Amino acid sequence: MTTDLGPETLTAAVIDSFKNTPDERLKTVLESLTRHLHGFVREVAPSIEEWETAIDFLTATGQKCDDVRQEFILLSDVLGVSMMVETINDEETPDATDSTVLGPFHMVESPERTLGENISPESEGEVCVVRGRILSVTGDPVPGARIDVWQANTKGFYDVQQPGIQSIGNGRGLFTADDNGEFFFRSVVPSYYPIPTDGPVGSLLNATARHPYRPAHIHFIVAAPGFKELTTHIFVGDSDYIDSDAVFAVKHSLVKPFTTNPDPEAAAAFEVASPFVEGVIDIVLHPALHHRTPHDATTKEIAR
Ligand code: BEZ
Ligand code: FE
């Protein structure tokens, strides 16, 4: 029965409309989406004008997206949805390094670099060395792991945000861990920065009296055959906004002091002046999971 539907019967009718969905996971997702979305609308009881405002907001969010700007990821981030997805998926790998948000700026390929190379040749600021080991949950090194890193410059901008000012690839690097699973690269100590506020997400923050800042960090994606890929950050220990990240992405296990290393031999090995600042993080990977996770096919099926 799909006529004369009211608040009591509409939700059941929409859920019933999905009953022949061949993919069980897709069916589950759509049923749950319907239940929650209808529940939300019933609770908020928007006026027609408010509903139109919501549609306009989502339309503007889509229109703000292009090859190097992803306003929907930003929206998911400031609503805590990205972090919820990360945290749920992390529960499957409790012994691995904590993951955190991908963010909207992993939009270009990082240039392949050799260990020790400077990822920020066009950035001014305090030189630092970032180093660590890629390990398995058993404590064994993972030689050959691929380590993709990206960071903003000290003015708080990623390369893709400053065409004509920064070359694409400044602040980025793709490294291969050595035979001991070790990695090391040079950069500048990142600073805290505001997420982009010139779009609908900025209007949302403004309307809700929220600040747009993220504490200083460097992004990592670490991948190796036979292991679950890990998306994470190293956060600079004494950064402002560690306790109020605009996207709720700080895990204390990822906050590391960037300390001064006085050892001249280490400085010579890393080809930096002595003394130098360094941030150290070991990254532990979990063996690959072979069951279907929430990240798998469903979202792609819906998107088609
Ligand atoms: C970032 O760290 O690049 C980022 C993450 C979430 C929203 C905006 C930026
Ligand atoms: Fe970032």
Side-chain angles (χ1 to χ4, degrees):
M1 165 83 159
T2 52
T3 62
D4 301 304
L5 298 167
E8 303 308 324
T9 49
L10 187 54
T11 306
V14 177
I15 287 175
D16 189 60
S17 76
F18 295 128
K19 66 175 180 295
N20 296 327
T21 305
D23 185 302
E24 275 304 316
R25 177 73 178 153
L26 178 60
K27 186 172 164 214
T28 304
V29 169
L30 290 172
E31 286 177 358
S32 178
L33 179 71
T34 305
R35 254 195 323 276
H36 287 276
L37 214 46
H38 284 214
F40 165 72
V41 172
R42 290 185 63 168
E43 182 181 319
V44 173
S47 66
I48 299 294
E49 289 75 20
E50 285 174 329
W51 178 239
E52 285 171 358
T53 302
I55 297 290
D56 287 348
F57 177 82
L58 291 176
T59 304
T61 301
Q63 287 170 339
K64 196 74 188 166
C65 297
D66 59 28
D67 288 350
V68 291
R69 176 76 182 255
Q70 232 308 349
E71 196 76 358
F72 272 113
I73 294 185
L74 205 55
L75 180 59
S76 162
D77 293 338
V78 301
L79 293 178
V81 177
S82 306
M83 216 37 215
M84 185 66 85
V85 173
E86 287 295 341
T87 305
I88 288 168
N89 280 272
D90 250 12
E91 285 169 2
E92 297 176 305
T93 57
D95 298 331
T97 293
D98 284 331
S99 69
T100 190
V101 293
L102 174 67
F105 293 120
H106 190 250
M107 302 292 284
V108 290
E109 272 183 30
S110 298
E112 181 97 38
R113 298 190 192 270
T114 53
L115 288 173
E117 212 179 317
N118 182 8
I119 66 165
S120 302
E122 298 174 17
S123 304
E124 291 170 1
E126 187 172 29
V127 169
C128 70
V129 169
V130 179
R131 64 181 180 83
R133 289 171 304 163
I134 311 299
L135 303 169
S136 73
V137 290
T138 54
D140 296 315
V142 183
R146 302 283 277 165
I147 305 139
D148 189 353
V149 297
W150 68 105
Q151 72 168 82
N153 67 9
T154 39
K155 296 197 171 66
F157 293 106
Y158 287 86
D159 53 359
V160 292
Q161 294 176 285
Q162 291 193 305
I165 298 176
Q166 293 187 59
S167 311
I168 294 297
N170 188 49
R172 299 180 194 267
L174 179 60
F175 294 94
T176 303
D178 70 13
D179 290 347
N180 301 316
E182 291 179 5
F183 69 89
F184 45 99
F185 59 89
R186 281 175 293 145
S187 190
V188 289
V189 181
S191 62
Y192 65 84
Y193 66 82
I195 65 171
T197 53
D198 60 340
V201 171
S203 306
L204 176 71
L205 294 182
N206 205 22
T208 53
R210 277 176 54 180
H211 78 70
Y213 291 99
R214 297 216 60 211
H217 60 272
I218 302 173
H219 296 257
F220 284 73
I221 296 177
V222 183
F227 291 91
K228 185 182 173 199
E229 187 174 284
L230 180 75
T231 301
T232 193
H233 296 2
I234 181 174
F235 289 95
V236 178
D238 61 358
S239 175
D240 289 357
Y241 302 105
I242 284 283
D243 291 321
S244 65
D245 184 358
V247 301
F248 310 98
V250 176
K251 301 253 178 90
H252 275 102
S253 64
L254 305 175
V255 179
K256 303 290 179 187
F258 274 53
T259 50
T260 301
N261 185 331
D263 179 1
E265 282 179 20
F270 293 128
E271 298 179 21
V272 291
S274 180
F276 65 100
V277 171
E278 68 178 354
V280 181
I281 184 166
D282 285 346
I283 294 179
V284 178
L285 300 180
H286 193 279
L289 302 166
H290 294 297
H291 65 82
R292 185 177 176 138
T293 73
H295 281 312
D296 281 351
T298 306
T299 37
K300 290 180 195 136
E301 284 155 8
I302 293 172
R304 265 187 225 129

